[in-house]
Amino acid sequence: MLRLSGNSINNGIFIGRALHIAVQAHAADTHCISEGEIPAELKRFHEAINSVDADISLDLKNSKLGNNDLDILASHRDILHDPELTKMVETSIKEQLHHAGLAVQESFKKIVSQFEAMSVESFALRAADYSDVGTRLMNALSGVSGTLPDNLESDHIPIVSEMSPSLVSKLAHASIGAYLCARGSYNSHASILSRALGLVAIANIPGLQEKLKDDDLLIIDGDEGKLVINPDEETLEFYAQKVQVVELLHQKLEKLKASASQTADGKEITLYANIGLPEEMAVIENLGCDGIGLFRTEFLFISRQNLPSEEEQFEIYRQLAERMAPTPVTIRTFDLGCDKLSPFGLEVPEENPYLGNRGIRFSLANHEMFYTQLKAILRASAFGNIRIMFPMILDAEDFAEAKHVFNHCQEQLYSQGVAFDSSIKLGAMIEIPSAALEADSLAMACDFLSIGTNDLVQYTLAVDRNNENVSRYYIQHHPAVLSLIRSTILSAAKYNTPLSVCGEMASNPTYIPLLIGMGIKELSINPAGYFAAKAIVQKCDRQLFQLISRFNFSVSVREVEQLIYRDLKHYSTIQE
Ligand code: PEP
Ligand code: MG
């Protein structure tokens, strides 16, 4: 038996068997090669073709697919050996000095967008085939596999070097309950999605991959960030009992479903849920929540190679609106960029993507994509209570620019006689410090605001939310962050503009009493933490408000920590 520690990504206990798996390739990095490296890159490219060819042969041999599907696989081999494509990639390596991965990515991207531009359905399918082959080639070049292994079973605990949102989604689809990753941070999108989908996970265990063999019996203790390898009987029994206690607590909290979301001194607190994938809807319906405060629509991109069409989006938004009506569904327009890239999207590789073409900037720069999404949302708004929220808004002018596109879209639908909710509410996320500092003008211009603490912390403290090496600087309760939250609360109150918090702070028991005490009246929570959040809300009382109203926020981090970990601790502790 061996005990190891790491960082918890999601709470919970899971007992299962280890299985090492390779992760899907990300977009190729953009560095160029020297002329001397050209022959080696050409060789790598041709080796990758041979390796994918062998994979396809294996798929064809092992496949239980019908004839049509087999034809598709066989056609992928034709794409792989398409002489024109091969020439394009080779030219890109020789003339633009792209390394093989970048050359493949760029060449396939060009072909895929040509097919996508043709508004014939069969060409769209062709685009998907090309994308698929391109992804396989890129994976072969980076030495990883993009699909889950065939022998993966629901009691397996996958062990990966790094997690991506698309892999989380694939694991959840495959009914996997937990995973371990060598590198990862609590605030990455992969981690947020893991919590939303209920996957127990730990990251950053030193020597993780070397210490585990496939089929080792593992206990993951996500509450403590601990891993037990090949436990003895006593330990196994201890954790089996713990699983039962957690289950009982869960059942107890679920009983809160019918109770009001109200503080002990009678203040109503609106509790929304965050959603990333439409599949989470069943869980959300079971919460009896006050609506959806954040739908991260960019997750519609993950696990796929092309943009979702207007019809596809409309269907998803309509179903959500209908199922949640009359409560609101806040649809955040695509927040693409950074770790939410699709392998063959529209993005141009950037040196510093978090400060680059991300969120609303990306949508404004890709008008057709933005238009398609806004039209789909507007059409769906006729079927329920939809609100639209723009991510990464810089200031009121930025919001006005997005609203201008929205207005144009509305006019077009109106002239075509298409039904939509003409009083649909438009909001902005407060997640860049400039937006918080300009909250007055944004509160005046917007129908509602929502604080995205994940990015607000990252940009205020200049600390990458995904970089575990600097995680000690990622202090969500830093007085600088709290001061921006406080001034946003004051601005929203001044203009009577509804304000929520939808970042992870709203789902974290430690911060819920603090936020409520500061005057936040709406929280949008990761579904897994919903009932716990409600239990905490119900404990908040007059003393809490008094304590926080007397607290001077211009203090050190240590003093804030005394407040939250000592004075407010009893509000955030839930009894088992
Ligand atoms: C945030 O930044 O807090 C937020 C809710 O958006 P995301 O995590 O999707 O960037
Ligand atoms: Mg954000």
Side-chain angles (χ1 to χ4, degrees):
M1 182 169 87
L2 181 63
R3 290 174 191 267
L4 299 170
S5 295
N7 303 119
S8 170
I9 297 295
N10 190 18
N11 292 353
I13 313 279
F14 194 89
I15 303 173
R17 291 177 296 138
L19 183 70
H20 289 267
I21 65 170
V23 297
Q24 191 174 19
H26 282 293
D29 70 50
T30 53
H31 79 269
C32 282
I33 55 170
S34 66
E35 288 199 4
E37 289 173 294
I38 293 175
E41 286 304 292
L42 288 172
K43 184 163 171 264
R44 270 193 350 108
F45 169 51
H46 285 281
E47 281 170 0
I49 292 183
N50 291 340
S51 139
V52 175
D53 188 287
D55 274 356
I56 294 178
S57 303
L58 206 67
D59 285 352
L60 284 166
K61 204 170 114 209
N62 296 339
S63 179
K64 297 187 194 83
L65 300 171
N67 278 348
N68 278 349
D69 298 319
L70 288 174
D71 286 350
I72 293 171
L73 271 183
S75 79
H76 284 197
R77 179 180 269 150
D78 297 338
I79 295 174
L80 184 69
H81 296 289
D82 178 341
E84 244 183 85
L85 245 168
T86 305
K87 200 161 152 220
M88 259 170 97
V89 176
E90 288 176 345
T91 309
S92 165
I93 296 174
K94 285 191 240 168
E95 292 177 10
Q96 288 166 283
L97 297 180
H98 283 162
H99 60 82
L102 187 58
V104 166
Q105 177 178 288
E106 293 302 301
S107 305
F108 274 78
K109 194 163 150 183
K110 219 176 272 170
I111 304 254
V112 166
S113 51
Q114 280 165 9
F115 277 119
E116 279 174 352
M118 303 176 202
S119 53
V120 178
E121 202 187 339
S122 59
F123 286 137
L125 291 176
R126 205 75 193 122
D129 289 336
Y130 270 82
S131 285
D132 205 0
V133 176
T135 305
R136 277 182 167 225
L137 265 176
M138 282 180 61
N139 285 333
L141 280 162
S142 57
V144 296
S145 146
T147 47
L148 297 179
D150 291 341
N151 59 341
L152 184 69
E153 290 175 16
S154 60
D155 69 331
H156 270 136
I157 298 178
I159 296 139
V160 295
S161 53
E162 210 164 343
M163 194 40 87
S164 68
S166 63
L167 188 55
V168 171
S169 150
K170 278 188 195 148
L171 293 179
H173 262 115
S175 303
I176 294 299
Y179 68 84
L180 295 166
C181 62
R183 284 181 306 282
S185 76
Y186 188 84
N187 293 294
S188 71
H189 288 107
S191 301
I192 292 173
L193 202 56
S194 305
R195 291 192 285 281
L197 294 170
L199 273 84
V200 180
I202 306 180
N204 309 317
I205 297 173
L208 173 76
Q209 278 158 306
E210 300 78 56
K211 286 184 178 126
L212 292 177
K213 293 188 305 303
D214 281 355
D215 279 328
D216 274 344
L217 182 62
L218 305 180
I219 298 171
I220 300 190
D221 180 349
D223 300 345
E224 303 284 337
K226 295 219 156 61
L227 170 69
V228 189
I229 306 171
N230 296 324
D232 57 28
E233 242 174 70
E234 200 184 328
T235 311
L236 200 56
E237 178 60 23
F238 171 80
Y239 277 103
Q241 274 182 20
K242 218 169 161 183
V243 169
Q244 276 184 359
V245 172
V246 171
E247 182 49 35
L248 283 175
L249 175 65
H250 193 73
Q251 284 171 11
K252 185 174 151 193
L253 288 174
E254 257 196 16
K255 297 213 177 88
L256 295 178
K257 185 173 167 183
S259 66
S261 164
Q262 217 177 42
T263 60
D265 58 336
K267 292 189 177 62
E268 301 276 347
I269 304 292
T270 302
L271 291 185
Y272 295 128
N274 289 349
I275 183 169
L277 295 171
E279 292 89 312
E280 288 171 62
M281 208 32 224
V283 177
I284 288 178
E285 274 178 323
N286 193 39
L287 303 176
C289 63
D290 296 320
I292 290 177
L294 169 65
F295 175 20
R296 290 183 165 95
T297 55
E298 60 280 357
F299 284 145
L300 298 176
F301 277 77
I302 64 176
S303 302
R304 58 180 291 153
Q305 311 295 330
N306 53 4
L307 301 169
S309 67
E310 181 183 323
E311 277 318 301
E312 276 176 277
Q313 290 187 56
F314 164 70
E315 262 313 304
I316 292 167
Y317 304 150
R318 180 186 64 77
Q319 281 184 27
L320 270 186
E322 280 184 347
R323 287 170 77 168
M324 292 305 294
T327 64
V329 174
T330 312
I331 300 183
R332 180 176 75 179
T333 59
F334 297 134
D335 182 13
L336 285 167
C338 314
D339 63 344
K340 291 187 280 196
L341 299 179
S342 59
F344 287 95
L346 304 160
E347 58 281 328
V348 180
E350 294 177 304
E351 280 213 358
N352 205 345
Y354 275 99
L355 302 181
N357 208 7
R358 182 190 167 190
I360 195 66
R361 301 171 189 178
F362 189 86
S363 292
L364 289 170
N366 290 283
H367 247 235
E368 210 176 302
M369 178 200 81
F370 195 28
Y371 235 79
T372 304
Q373 182 175 36
L374 288 173
K375 278 207 278 190
I377 301 175
L378 271 168
R379 285 173 52 205
S381 71
F383 297 85
N385 180 4
I386 285 182
R387 314 193 299 172
I388 298 179
M389 179 159 76
F390 300 124
M392 295 289 293
I393 288 289
L394 190 71
D395 55 21
E397 265 180 54
D398 207 23
F399 176 76
E401 200 179 328
K403 188 172 175 178
H404 181 74
V405 180
F406 165 82
N407 286 342
H408 195 68
C409 216
Q410 248 190 340
E411 279 158 27
Q412 210 179 59
L413 288 185
Y414 185 74
S415 67
Q416 291 165 353
V418 177
F420 61 87
D421 172 8
S422 58
S423 57
I424 190 165
K425 305 257 185 298
L426 288 191
M429 286 199 68
I430 305 287
E431 52 184 348
I432 303 182
S434 63
L437 293 165
E438 302 267 301
D440 249 16
S441 50
L442 275 166
M444 210 175 355
C446 300
D447 296 317
F448 67 95
L449 298 173
S450 190
I451 303 177
T453 52
N454 307 335
D455 279 312
L456 189 61
V457 174
Q458 147 161 283
Y459 293 123
T460 305
L461 307 179
V463 50
D464 182 346
R465 63 194 263 187
N466 294 326
N467 184 347
E468 208 38 51
N469 295 331
V470 288
S471 65
R472 76 185 180 92
Y473 297 103
Y474 191 92
I475 304 165
Q476 301 180 73
H477 51 268
H478 195 286
V481 174
L482 298 183
S483 143
L484 291 175
I485 294 178
R486 237 159 80 89
S487 63
T488 306
I489 293 174
L490 293 176
S491 299
K494 188 157 136 196
Y495 294 96
N496 225 355
T497 307
L499 169 72
S500 64
V501 175
C502 65
E504 288 297 292
M505 276 180 94
S507 302
N508 187 331
T510 302
Y511 296 126
I512 294 171
L514 176 68
L515 292 170
I516 290 180
M518 288 171 76
I520 290 290
K521 297 192 184 75
E522 300 180 4
L523 297 172
S524 194
I525 299 155
N526 217 323
Y530 187 84
F531 292 120
K534 199 176 206 180
I536 294 168
V537 164
Q538 291 175 350
K539 287 169 92 177
C540 294
D541 56 13
R542 193 132 44 94
Q543 281 90 321
L544 168 80
F545 292 101
Q546 281 167 356
L547 192 68
I548 293 187
S549 68
R550 285 199 301 267
F551 190 75
N552 172 12
F553 281 89
S554 314
V555 290
S556 65
V557 171
R558 181 129 25 112
E559 282 163 288
V560 179
E561 283 171 357
Q562 279 180 358
L563 173 76
I564 55 180
Y565 297 123
R566 188 192 60 195
D567 306 340
L568 304 185
K569 178 114 182 89
H570 61 289
Y571 293 107
S572 52
T573 312
I574 311 163
Q575 298 302 329
E576 290 182 0

